[in-house]
Amino acid sequence: MPKLNENYLNVQDSYLFAEIARRVKAYEEAHPDKAGNIIRLGIGDVTRPLTESAVEGLHEAVDEQTKAETFRGYGPEQGYEFVRRAVADYYERNGVKVDPDTVFISDGAKSDTGNITELFAQDNVILVPDPVYPVYVDTNTMDGKKIIYMNGTEENNFLPMPDDSVKADIIYLCSPNNPTGACYNKEQLKAWVDYAAANEAVILFDSAYEAFVSEPELPRSIYAVEGAEKCAIEFCSLSKTAGFTGTRFSYTVVPKELVFSSSDGRKMSLYDMWNRRQSTKFNGTPYIIQYAAAKVLSEKGMKECMENISYYMENARVIADTLRKKNIPFTGGVNSPYIWFKCPEGMESWELFDYLLEKIQVVGTPGAGFGVNGKYHFRLTSFGTHEKTKEAMERFEKLF
Amino acid sequence: MPKLNENYLNVQDSYLFAEIARRVKAYEEAHPDKAGNIIRLGIGDVTRPLTESAVEGLHEAVDEQTKAETFRGYGPEQGYEFVRRAVADYYERNGVKVDPDTVFISDGAKSDTGNITELFAQDNVILVPDPVYPVYVDTNTMDGKKIIYMNGTEENNFLPMPDDSVKADIIYLCSPNNPTGACYNKEQLKAWVDYAAANEAVILFDSAYEAFVSEPELPRSIYAVEGAEKCAIEFCSLSKTAGFTGTRFSYTVVPKELVFSSSDGRKMSLYDMWNRRQSTKFNGTPYIIQYAAAKVLSEKGMKECMENISYYMENARVIADTLRKKNIPFTGGVNSPYIWFKCPEGMESWELFDYLLEKIQVVGTPGAGFGVNGKYHFRLTSFGTHEKTKEAMERFEKLF
């Protein structure tokens, strides 16, 4: 009889968005007259269509697949050279040098942040922020790894800093952060790189929201910090940058400097291991999507993406302005599509959820869904339309 | 300091195709006059372009992504309902009933056969055939699982049958087989299902080459055998069926009956676990590819696929006829794109590789690359053009 992976018994049910959907549905059924009035600013999915470069690239690549002479079958599991180079060029335009050979193309940062856990043995101490993107916790729980938390709170602007008394082997950082929208500055990231160097720890850096950073002095990659190439793996994606949530393209940078000793003193390279993992358990991202992604990553392609991002950031500004007017403390909204605010009047986050739904038919995400430290906070996203976002904030302003 | 997964130290270097490439390159450099003469019948990649339905579907879905009203962002991690149903319908047309809700859409059978190992604890006995598709071995080695082998030999037509004295928990079967092209009949598969039932084992059934089965009495799915839904997970793909090796679409069926007890007696369902695994570490297959795949899986779409498959099978026939003429024993070539033959004149497989390259500039795959039992066998594939395949076999015929 097969022995199953019993760590799965310890994984929490991912009920957050299901529970939101359940409560919204119950409200709609109880108030059919108000159902059409509901504005959803909860889910972190984009709404703007694909850019011109992406569409052009997709059509062109599909046409290539119609002729035997230009048909492409299996590609390199790591991604085609042309797109790995396009990623490196994009980094370079943002002031960061990355070796294209260390760029691995994949179908999603969620896949890669999940699968990377396979490279690590079970007896590691994993340090994760709270509030947190639940995937970091769930994937390590499935592996039976020991997770410890660091607190993101109002006091530290939801940007936990290293604590020398804590000995972590693997550290998850996400900046600009999901769900809090907070963004580390260079000095703060340097403190993390210094901590990792001192403790020989590995930083798993999720930069999926880097394109939303508008303040030029803020780092968009951990490799903007000297020495990070010796301790950090970076995960990024076109999901939010280019509206690829349904099209799927991501990249992970694994520097060759990340070499550690096995228990009997043999050298093991995380680059080699990830390369072996991907070659064995992955067959590459679809050619047509790689082709389109290379166009998106060009200067012209990115200019188009930035137009969509500006559209979303205008929504963020509207939300942030409303909160400021009401003296409600918040993070995000400037360098991030997320706005994370303190629930007014001492409410808990699920309480506020029900209150907003009931009173003004606005749906957001209760902070409690992201960890203990989210109990009194609430997340709104800027991925709606201008009209709906403005309307939601007008209702909010009248309510409080 | 992070403790790395030291099981990676036990994974063999995957040098087979790299070594083939090295030897071919060395030959070309030594004989520049012969370089243009080389015919490659080694690698298992398709060469015919995408079918009309696939191309039409891809273009249509891309167009949908250009407008906000029809744009699709995140989809269900398990795949869209419409394509899960298209898979179930395709099964039904082949005489097998599958619940669409148990069909998980993914980017490749390689990903899924690799990732499924996560659901099983380390202390299982994994039974794998030799010769074997190396991914089954490598992925379990990375997990530190114990692998035992069953022999595929000339005596059993490279179709190993269950041995009641062997106690396996998890069994890998691939039929039609890669690399041997051998195909189990229904009686033989029933013996495996009976063994699994008696031992409460799980069968991981790889049916990636099912569309090449031409003899109607041979099963194209393990679910053609009664009781298989209680013990088997099936992996299939459009890679070879529809030329999707570079486009990426696969599906895995995990029946809900696969429920086992944890060490403290709690019920654990492999369906629930795989659902949780995919929801946590995967964000779904690109929408445009799911849309195109549904078209491919329709009756019209499959008719087009069968034209390409007939093209390849004509090559297989040419290869098989030549071997028959020379009285060389082989498997495959009828219900499979692969032909696996005994090296003539007592040669070992790498010896034959060099001999064919040197004498007639034909490149194949040495059986030794697939396991101990491949030492005296050789694989040719039918994925070339008619012209090249015929030419290669004419040279072969003259040589022996």
Side-chain angles (χ1 to χ4, degrees):
Chain A
M1 197 178 84
K3 272 67 74 185
L4 304 191
N5 177 354
E6 299 191 9
N7 296 310
Y8 272 66
L9 294 168
N10 303 321
V11 181
Q12 300 264 315
D13 280 341
S14 84
Y15 80 112
L16 178 62
F17 290 102
E19 176 63 16
I20 290 174
R22 195 191 64 73
R23 293 195 190 199
V24 172
K25 196 169 165 236
Y27 178 81
E28 287 175 330
E29 281 166 8
H31 308 86
D33 55 313
K34 299 271 179 69
N37 212 21
I38 291 174
I39 299 178
R40 290 161 209 272
L41 299 179
I43 292 176
D45 197 359
V46 298
T47 52
R48 311 278 301 161
L50 293 186
T51 62
E52 202 183 297
S53 292
V55 170
E56 209 178 271
L58 288 167
H59 280 308
E60 279 174 22
V62 171
D63 285 337
E64 280 187 36
Q65 297 291 69
T66 63
K67 291 184 284 282
E69 310 83 60
T70 49
F71 175 79
R72 305 249 191 164
Y74 289 123
E77 287 98 347
Q78 302 80 358
Y80 281 100
E81 167 91 25
F82 71 80
V83 70
R84 302 172 87 183
R85 190 164 296 280
V87 170
D89 288 349
Y90 174 60
Y91 267 110
E92 200 166 352
R93 295 204 303 279
N94 290 325
V96 169
K97 204 146 180 63
V98 152
D99 174 2
D101 196 34
T102 64
V103 175
F104 291 83
I105 306 304
S106 175
D107 65 307
K110 190 178 172 191
S111 306
D112 284 6
T113 50
N115 294 333
I116 200 89
T117 61
E118 294 176 32
L119 307 193
F120 301 105
Q122 217 172 13
D123 62 332
N124 281 292
V125 176
I126 316 288
L127 181 60
V128 159
D130 175 334
V132 65
Y133 174 51
V135 165
Y136 309 154
V137 173
D138 292 347
T139 55
N140 279 292
T141 306
M142 286 172 175
D143 261 11
K145 294 197 169 90
K146 193 190 161 201
I147 300 168
I148 60 173
Y149 293 89
M150 50 185 166
N151 291 315
T153 60
E154 269 189 277
E155 287 64 46
N156 60 23
N157 288 311
F158 291 96
L159 292 169
M161 293 302 297
D163 172 347
D164 284 329
S165 72
V166 173
K167 296 296 165 206
D169 301 305
I170 294 156
I171 303 153
Y172 284 84
L173 298 177
C174 175
S175 177
N177 190 266
N178 176 14
T180 72
C183 186
Y184 283 113
N185 66 31
K186 206 164 167 180
E187 218 167 38
Q188 290 168 321
L189 277 192
K190 189 177 178 311
W192 275 113
V193 168
D194 289 346
Y195 171 92
N199 292 274
E200 288 191 81
V202 173
I203 295 172
L204 302 178
F205 192 78
D206 185 344
S207 64
Y209 299 92
E210 57 84 25
F212 291 79
V213 172
S214 58
E215 297 174 67
E217 66 280 13
L218 291 178
R220 293 170 60 167
S221 161
I222 193 154
Y223 302 121
V225 176
E226 213 183 319
E229 70 286 354
K230 296 196 184 101
C231 64
I233 291 173
E234 182 160 293
F235 305 89
C236 199
S237 151
L238 290 187
S239 282
K240 306 299 160 66
T241 304
F244 266 43
T245 50
T247 303
R248 316 303 316 142
F249 179 92
S250 70
Y251 48 95
T252 292
V253 179
V254 188
K256 294 183 181 169
E257 288 89 338
L258 290 164
V259 176
F260 298 91
S261 284
S262 73
S263 51
D264 63 357
R266 281 184 278 179
K267 293 287 170 216
M268 294 182 77
S269 142
L270 285 174
Y271 172 87
D272 289 341
M273 289 174 78
W274 184 246
N275 194 25
R276 192 61 164 92
R277 194 268 165 213
Q278 291 299 83
S279 305
T280 306
K281 300 195 190 181
F282 186 57
N283 245 325
T285 301
Y287 167 67
I288 54 177
I289 288 167
Q290 293 191 58
Y291 182 93
K295 290 215 156 202
V296 165
L297 288 158
S298 71
E299 282 189 71
K300 175 175 172 287
M302 272 298 151
K303 211 172 141 261
E304 294 164 4
C305 291
M306 289 316 295
E307 285 166 23
N308 280 342
I309 288 177
S310 297
Y311 181 95
Y312 296 134
M313 291 314 289
E314 170 62 18
N315 291 337
R317 198 190 52 74
V318 168
I319 299 171
D321 282 354
T322 308
L323 295 171
R324 238 178 252 116
K325 240 186 261 179
K326 295 288 168 183
N327 283 317
I328 297 172
F330 66 94
T331 49
V334 190
N335 302 294
S336 157
Y338 297 125
I339 298 93
W340 175 257
F341 66 92
K342 191 168 187 177
C343 303
E345 301 167 12
M347 274 188 259
E348 290 191 11
S349 65
W350 277 111
E351 208 181 337
L352 179 62
F353 177 90
D354 290 335
Y355 187 70
L356 293 180
L357 179 59
E358 179 75 32
K359 296 287 179 188
I360 59 171
Q361 294 83 51
V362 169
V363 177
T365 312
F370 301 101
V372 176
N373 289 322
K375 192 172 175 186
Y376 295 98
H377 280 77
F378 204 79
R379 191 187 80 173
L380 292 179
T381 82
S382 59
F383 291 124
T385 62
H386 283 339
E387 298 69 33
K388 295 275 187 189
T389 307
K390 248 179 96 180
E391 165 73 17
M393 287 302 105
E394 281 164 11
R395 295 186 200 166
F396 188 95
E397 205 178 322
K398 278 185 214 143
L399 184 65
F400 291 104
Chain B
M1 196 178 86
K3 273 66 76 184
L4 304 192
N5 177 354
E6 298 191 9
N7 296 310
Y8 271 66
L9 294 168
N10 302 322
V11 181
Q12 301 264 316
D13 280 341
S14 84
Y15 81 112
L16 178 63
F17 290 102
E19 176 63 15
I20 290 174
R22 196 191 64 73
R23 293 194 190 200
V24 172
K25 196 170 164 233
Y27 178 81
E28 286 175 331
E29 280 167 9
H31 308 87
D33 55 313
K34 298 271 179 68
N37 212 20
I38 291 174
I39 299 177
R40 289 160 209 271
L41 299 180
I43 291 176
D45 196 0
V46 297
T47 52
R48 312 277 301 161
L50 292 186
T51 62
E52 204 182 298
S53 291
V55 169
E56 210 177 271
L58 288 167
H59 279 309
E60 280 174 20
V62 171
D63 285 337
E64 280 187 37
Q65 297 290 69
T66 63
K67 291 183 285 281
E69 310 83 60
T70 50
F71 174 78
R72 304 250 192 165
Y74 290 122
E77 289 97 347
Q78 302 82 356
Y80 281 99
E81 167 91 24
F82 70 80
V83 71
R84 302 173 87 183
R85 190 164 294 280
V87 170
D89 289 348
Y90 174 59
Y91 267 110
E92 200 165 355
R93 294 203 305 276
N94 290 325
V96 169
K97 203 144 181 66
V98 153
D99 174 2
D101 196 34
T102 64
V103 175
F104 291 83
I105 307 304
S106 176
D107 64 309
K110 190 179 173 192
S111 306
D112 284 6
T113 51
N115 294 334
I116 200 89
T117 61
E118 293 175 32
L119 306 194
F120 301 105
Q122 217 171 14
D123 62 332
N124 282 293
V125 176
I126 316 288
L127 182 60
V128 159
D130 175 335
V132 65
Y133 174 51
V135 165
Y136 309 154
V137 174
D138 292 347
T139 53
N140 279 291
T141 306
M142 286 172 174
D143 261 12
K145 295 198 170 90
K146 193 191 162 199
I147 300 168
I148 60 173
Y149 293 89
M150 50 184 165
N151 291 316
T153 61
E154 268 188 279
E155 287 65 46
N156 61 22
N157 289 311
F158 291 96
L159 292 169
M161 294 301 296
D163 173 348
D164 284 329
S165 71
V166 172
K167 296 295 165 209
D169 302 305
I170 295 157
I171 303 154
Y172 284 84
L173 297 178
C174 175
S175 178
N177 191 266
N178 176 15
T180 72
C183 185
Y184 284 112
N185 64 31
K186 204 163 167 182
E187 217 168 40
Q188 290 169 321
L189 278 193
K190 187 177 179 311
W192 275 113
V193 169
D194 289 346
Y195 171 92
N199 292 276
E200 288 192 83
V202 173
I203 295 172
L204 303 177
F205 191 78
D206 185 344
S207 64
Y209 298 93
E210 56 84 24
F212 291 80
V213 172
S214 58
E215 298 174 66
E217 66 279 13
L218 291 177
R220 292 170 60 168
S221 161
I222 193 152
Y223 302 122
V225 176
E226 212 182 320
E229 71 286 353
K230 295 195 185 104
C231 65
I233 292 173
E234 182 160 292
F235 305 89
C236 198
S237 151
L238 290 187
S239 282
K240 306 298 160 66
T241 304
F244 266 42
T245 51
T247 304
R248 316 303 315 141
F249 179 92
S250 70
Y251 49 95
T252 293
V253 179
V254 188
K256 294 183 181 168
E257 290 88 338
L258 291 164
V259 176
F260 298 92
S261 284
S262 73
S263 50
D264 62 357
R266 280 184 279 178
K267 293 288 170 216
M268 295 182 77
S269 142
L270 285 174
Y271 172 87
D272 289 342
M273 289 174 77
W274 184 246
N275 194 26
R276 194 59 164 94
R277 194 270 166 210
Q278 292 298 84
S279 305
T280 307
K281 300 195 189 182
F282 186 57
N283 244 325
T285 301
Y287 167 67
I288 54 177
I289 288 168
Q290 293 190 58
Y291 182 92
K295 290 215 155 202
V296 165
L297 288 159
S298 72
E299 283 188 70
K300 176 174 173 288
M302 272 298 152
K303 210 172 142 259
E304 295 164 5
C305 291
M306 289 317 294
E307 286 165 22
N308 280 342
I309 288 177
S310 297
Y311 182 96
Y312 295 135
M313 291 314 289
E314 170 62 18
N315 291 338
R317 198 191 53 74
V318 169
I319 298 171
D321 282 353
T322 308
L323 295 171
R324 239 178 252 117
K325 238 186 262 181
K326 294 289 167 182
N327 284 317
I328 297 171
F330 67 94
T331 49
V334 191
N335 301 295
S336 158
Y338 297 125
I339 298 95
W340 175 257
F341 66 92
K342 190 168 188 179
C343 302
E345 300 167 11
M347 274 188 260
E348 289 190 11
S349 66
W350 278 111
E351 209 182 336
L352 179 62
F353 177 89
D354 290 335
Y355 186 71
L356 293 180
L357 178 59
E358 178 76 32
K359 296 289 180 188
I360 59 171
Q361 293 82 52
V362 169
V363 177
T365 312
F370 301 101
V372 176
N373 289 323
K375 192 173 175 185
Y376 295 99
H377 280 76
F378 204 79
R379 191 187 79 172
L380 292 178
T381 81
S382 58
F383 292 123
T385 62
H386 284 339
E387 299 69 34
K388 294 275 187 190
T389 307
K390 248 180 95 177
E391 165 74 18
M393 287 300 104
E394 280 163 13
R395 294 185 202 167
F396 188 95
E397 204 177 324
K398 277 184 213 144
L399 184 65
F400 291 104

